[in-house]
Amino acid sequence: MDDGVRTEKKNKCILICAGDLEIAEIPEKREGDLVIAVDGGYLYCQVLGIEPDVVIGDFDSLGEDNRAQIGPGQRMISLNPVKDDTDTLAALRLGLAEGYREFHLYGALGGRLEHTLANLQCLLFLKKEGASAYIWDSCSMITLIENESLTFREDMEGMLSVFAVGGTAEGVGEKGLRYRLDQAVLTEAFPVGISNEFIGEQAEVSVKKGALLVIVRWA
């Protein structure tokens, strides 16, 4: 998948979660990548023909019969259902502990609303840990930036929305888009950053102080 976002080439940690997975393909695993199936996300791996390196969860959405199908060459980490971390957060902690700093999450949206919100909050958790993360579905990509900028190639199409998270976002800028922002202040109480448009130019979104949830929608 070519996302139009300028990112470095590096080993990545891929999570297959148990939410809605409406996506035609998942990028091919490269040498050095880590694929983690999160609880019921293991069922998606079976459908897609993906061999996860690790299967982790309290297995409330996987069930005993499907759990028994986990191959002998795959690590299985069984979590206590009475815990503070969600299964997804536990998987992210595992990836961080193994040295990964770029995360791609699939099946992390839809399903139960509280899980979707928790997964979005995990983007801020990863940023605070010095990592970058991207949540994908069939028509959008979600990431988070903090005190930094994110650029997009000139052939990018669709819409871009930004939301302040974790407090006020100051010095917000958007250029190369239909509507320009310069030194704007965004708060969590006013969604002024929704539905800007790519216009065939290299685009950039930036924030000088604070964090922005960035949603790119191409369909």
Side-chain angles (χ1 to χ4, degrees):
M1 177 181 295
D2 187 354
D3 50 41
V5 184
R6 298 187 186 276
T7 59
E8 298 179 25
K9 296 294 185 182
K10 60 182 74 173
N11 292 340
K12 58 184 179 291
C13 181
I14 300 170
L15 270 63
I16 312 298
C17 304
D20 292 340
L21 188 64
E22 298 177 356
I23 192 165
E25 62 177 336
I26 292 174
E28 183 178 353
K29 176 185 176 183
R30 301 195 304 261
E31 184 177 356
D33 290 346
L34 177 70
V35 177
I36 304 176
V38 183
D39 207 312
Y42 181 70
L43 300 177
Y44 287 135
C45 289
Q46 289 183 306
V47 172
L48 296 170
I50 296 171
E51 292 290 335
D53 300 295
V54 184
V55 184
I56 188 172
D58 57 22
F59 302 116
D60 60 340
S61 60
L62 185 57
E64 288 296 330
D65 291 342
N66 293 309
R67 185 176 173 182
Q69 298 178 32
I70 297 174
Q74 297 165 335
R75 292 166 57 192
M76 184 174 69
I77 300 175
S78 183
L79 302 174
N80 188 329
V82 182
K83 61 187 187 305
D84 292 331
D85 288 356
T86 63
D87 290 346
T88 299
L89 182 53
L92 296 174
R93 290 189 192 277
L94 174 64
L96 288 170
E98 299 203 3
Y100 291 88
R101 291 298 179 269
E102 181 178 323
F103 293 81
H104 295 260
L105 287 71
Y106 299 87
L109 304 174
R112 290 167 54 182
L113 177 59
E114 62 268 33
H115 283 174
T116 294
L117 292 175
N119 291 336
L120 293 175
Q121 288 189 325
C122 283
L123 296 179
L124 185 57
F125 162 77
L126 287 171
K127 182 59 66 173
K128 298 298 185 184
E129 294 292 325
S132 59
Y134 308 87
I135 295 177
W136 302 91
D137 67 8
S138 60
C139 60
S140 60
M141 181 276 292
I142 305 173
T143 189
L144 185 141
I145 61 174
E146 184 177 32
N147 308 334
E148 60 186 321
S149 62
L150 180 65
T151 60
F152 302 86
R153 295 199 310 264
E154 59 274 7
D155 58 352
M156 192 69 186
E157 298 179 350
M159 293 187 175
L160 179 142
S161 298
V162 297
F163 301 88
V165 294
T168 300
E170 301 177 8
V172 177
E174 294 183 1
K175 58 185 180 181
L177 296 154
R178 182 168 300 280
Y179 307 105
R180 185 181 178 95
L181 278 181
D182 187 25
Q183 297 298 317
V185 176
L186 272 63
T187 71
E188 294 175 300
F190 184 30
V192 68
I194 193 169
S195 299
N196 210 334
E197 300 176 27
F198 294 100
I199 55 174
E201 299 179 8
Q202 179 173 302
E204 179 182 274
V205 57
S206 59
V207 55
K208 289 188 175 179
K209 182 179 180 181
L212 289 177
L213 190 70
V214 180
I215 300 177
V216 176
R217 185 174 181 86
W218 50 80

